[in-house]
Each structure stands twice: as C-alpha cells, then as structure tokens.
C-alpha cells in the first residue's frame, strides 16, 4: 500500500526505498520532513527531506557513499547558528554533526598543547576546557556559539583572531566517503572563509565534511585567561543582542575601518523591519526574528539594508550568514 505522506514531506526528493533504507540504518537518528526552524538559532526554515544524525565516522562514511550511489544531495549542518534556511526547506539529506562528539583528547609537550576534537564538539566546550586547564589560544572563541566543525569551515573568529590561527590539521570525510587528513597549509583561510585544496574542489562528488580537528595551544596563566574571557563575555552581552533569535553578525565587515554595523546604523536602519524580521535596535549588524519571521522576511530586509547602504555609501555588503535552500523571494 502506498505510504501516505504528511504535508511537510510533499515535494521530498526521497522515494520510499530511500526512506526505508535510511530508517533501517539510522532508526531514531533520522527524521523525515523535519522543520529546520527547530535546528537553527534564527528559528527559521522549512522542512528537510531527511534530517540525519550519524553517531560514528563509519556511519557517516556509509551515508555519504550511499547518497553518492543514489545521487541524493546532502548538506552538512553544525550548530545551525550561522545560517538562514529558506521557507521551502531543504531537499535531500541534511547531515547533522551533533552526535559526533568523540574524540575529545589532548596531549602536552612541554608548554605546547595539542587538542584533538570531533566536529560535533561545541566550541564553548573547548573554550571552557582550555580555561580550566590554563591553555592559551582559544579565548578568541569565547562566546562563539555552534560546533567545532562549523567554526573551522567558516574560519570563525572575533577581533583579529580566528580558527585558522590555532588549527594544525583536519580529518575530513570526502564526497566519496573516504577519510583524508589535511594539514593546515593545504587549506586556504580568509576572513570567515575556508577553502579546500584544488583537487577536492575539482572533485564532482559531494562536498567534503570536516569530522575532526587538531588544535595547537600553549600553556598560559589560568587566572589571566579567565579574566580576559569574562571581560569578552561582558562586552558581548553589552554590545550584542544575546538571547534574541538571530544568526550572529549578518553581514561581513567590508573592512576593519568600515564595520557593517556602523554603516547600517549610520544609514538609519536600526529597528527597520519586514514582517517579524528586524534590524536589531541593539546592534545594527544583527537581524533578529521577533517571533514569526520567515526566511522571505529576512531576505527582503537584507535587500533593503544592502540597497540603502549602497545608495548612501557606495559599499556593497556581503552576507556572513550562510543562506541555503531556494526561496521564491530571494
Ligand atoms: N557599531 C555601530 N552601530 C551598531 C553596531 C556597531 O556604530 O549598531 C560600531 C561599533 O561602535 C564599533 C564597530 O561598529 O565601532 C564594530 O562593532 P563591534 O565592535 O560590535 O564589532 P563587529 O565588527 O560588529 C565583530 C564580529 C563579531 C564579533 C565581534 C567582537 C564580524 C562581522 N563580526 O563584530 O562576530 O563577536 O566583532 O569581536 O566580523 C559573528 O561573526 O557572528 C560575530 C558576532
């Protein structure tokens, strides 16, 4: 008998065979028609055809190989703290890294410290660990939400410091479902951007997935690091709309001298809104969801901000937030 599909699953590219395979393989770790609004800090986003949470590297590799064979696209999500998902949701597989939290281990060599952590480990857990042991190098990430894998892939940072400064190597699962270790120098890093080696970009298989990172830290003074971290969190709480539904800074800073927040503020856009999407009255480079904002609302507000800043200053803003899925209003 044909399976009845609920509303959220209409339009799914997964056929019954694919759903059955996923169900048998992942049991309670797969959900069909899963609303992405439940997995993003914006609390916005339509249904994913399948939301899958692999529990081991082998399971992840098997899933990638299967999706390649079946020609089903996949997308990888870390903490969902830096993304805007379309109201139409996401077709194919959305692979969540949140159950891949092993290993988390470290080794000390004199005053140097090598930390190896899985992509699903929350960044704040690494910061807390470093503070507890008095390891220096990780404090720039204090207050950055999300998971380590996402922080590596977007070269997350604050002030002048970023993930690339502490990264030594990554372990990835390639689009062919194989493990590959990449040293720091094989990767390209830029402001909020990481690029894969050329041969990986040229590969037509699915995108590589960061599954583990080696981080190099140094021994420091615990009390000084803790004081510094406390101060950073205090500044963040004073200047940013902590607790609001948002995805962090919405636009990249065009340059150090011209931060997006100042441009948007000076263009008079603080508090501007489309539907329930609003330019935060607290910090102009944050777009917040006041309750029922849709991705379409956010995209219209984004266009208004871009146009106003362009007309006023002749500067093109570029989103820092990852915008995924197709939206008719994009
Ligand atoms: N500003 C205004 N009006 C505003 C907001 C900011 O005039 O409404 C001015 C501030 O006075 C300041 C300048 O703009 O002179 C920069 O603002 P802020 O110090 O708040 O830093 P930011 O450049 O907006 C960056 C990162 C944040 C990070 C902070 C602290 C980007 C796009 N954002 O913000 O990262 O937390 O520095 O280090 O680089 C994120 O990436 O999601 C994020 C939150």
């Amino acid at each position: 008998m044909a399976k009845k599909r609920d509303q959220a699953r209409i339009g799914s590219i997964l056929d019954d065979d694919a759903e059955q395979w996923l169900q048998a393989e992942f049991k309670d770790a797969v959900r069909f028609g899963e609303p992405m609004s439940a997995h993003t800090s914006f609390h916005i986003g339509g249904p994913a055809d399948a939301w899958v949470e692999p529990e081991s590297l082998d399971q992840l590799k098997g899933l990638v190989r299967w999706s390649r064979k079946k020609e089903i696209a996949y997308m990888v999500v870390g903490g969902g703290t830096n993304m805007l998902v379309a109201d139409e949701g996401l077709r194919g597989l959305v692979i969540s890294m949140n159950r891949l939290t092993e290993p988390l281990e470290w080794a000390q060599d004199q005053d140097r410290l090598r930390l190896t952590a899985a992509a699903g480990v929350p960044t704040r857990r690494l910061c807390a660990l470093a503070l507890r042991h008095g390891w220096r190098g990780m404090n720039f990430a204090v207050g950055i939400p999300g998971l380590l894998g996402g922080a590596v892939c977007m070269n997350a940072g604050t002030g002048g410091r970023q993930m690339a400064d502490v990264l030594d190597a990554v372990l990835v699962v390639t689009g062919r479902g194989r493990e590959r270790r990449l040293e720091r120098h094989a990767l390209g890093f830029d402001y909020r951007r990481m690029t894969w080696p050329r041969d990986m970009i040229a590969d037509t298989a699915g995108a590589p997935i960061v599954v583990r990172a080696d981080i190099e830290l140094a021994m420091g003074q615990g009390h000084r690091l803790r004081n510094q971290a406390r101060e950073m969190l205090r500044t963040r709480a004073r200047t940013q709309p902590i607790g609001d539904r948002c995805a962090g800074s919405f636009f990249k800073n065009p340059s150090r001298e011209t931060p997006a927040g100042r441009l948007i503020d000076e263009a008079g856009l603080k508090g501007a809104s489309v539907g329930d999407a609003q330019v935060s009255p607290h910090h102009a480079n944050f777009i917040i969801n006041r309750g029922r904002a849709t991705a379409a609302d956010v995209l219209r507000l984004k266009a208004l901000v871009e146009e106003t800043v362009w007309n006023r200053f002749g500067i093109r803003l570029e989103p820092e937030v990852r915008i995924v899925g197709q939206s008719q209003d994009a």
Side-chain angles (χ1 to χ4, degrees), residues 96-107:
S96 162
M97 300 302 279
N98 65 6
R99 294 198 199 202
L100 288 166
T101 55
E102 302 280 343
L104 176 53
E105 54 199 29
W106 55 92

Side-chain angles (χ1 to χ4, degrees), residues 82 154 157-159 191-192 236 239-240 247-249 251-253 259 261-262 265 270 282-286 320:
N82 195 52
M154 62 163 299
T158 55
Y191 172 55
R192 300 294 192 273
R236 206 176 244 262
T239 58
Q240 298 180 5
S249 297
F251 296 99
K252 291 181 181 176
N253 286 337
R262 191 188 305 149
D265 191 353
K270 259 186 174 171
H282 206 73
H283 191 303
N285 196 19
F286 285 66
E320 196 248 356

